[in-house]
């Protein structure tokens, strides 16, 4: 399933991490410093070091059905 997480602060990041680790295609929508951080890592990284690959974008793509 394709899922977009709008706002990947602490709660959104937790959802993105668990959904991506469960096998879903997760796109993290972020801006500013968080966008740059996620673009560099191409993953959500938890405090304990767990990682999950996600797509990163500054806005939703209207051509993609989430």
């Amino acid at each position: 399933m394709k899922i977009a997480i709008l706002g990947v602060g602490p709660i959104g990041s937790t959802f993105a991490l668990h959904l991506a680790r469960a096998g879903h295609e997760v796109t993290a929508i972020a801006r500013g410093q968080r966008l740059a951080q996620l673009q560099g890592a191409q993953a959500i990284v938890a405090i304990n070091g767990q990682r999950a690959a996600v797509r990163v974008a500054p806005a939703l793509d209207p051509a993609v059905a989430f």
Side-chain angles (χ1 to χ4, degrees):
M1 178 182 301
K2 290 183 181 182
I3 299 171
I5 304 291
L6 303 172
V8 280
I11 294 172
S13 293
T14 300
F15 279 114
L17 176 78
H18 289 286
L19 289 166
R21 293 185 78 206
H24 299 286
E25 248 183 81
V26 177
T27 299
I29 307 299
R31 58 185 174 177
Q33 185 179 7
R34 184 67 170 142
L35 175 62
Q37 181 185 35
L38 290 171
Q39 285 174 327
Q42 289 297 303
I44 296 290
V45 182
I47 292 172
N48 63 6
Q50 292 182 37
R51 295 178 62 91
V54 296
R55 292 187 174 142
V56 181
L60 282 174
D61 181 352
V64 178
F66 290 102

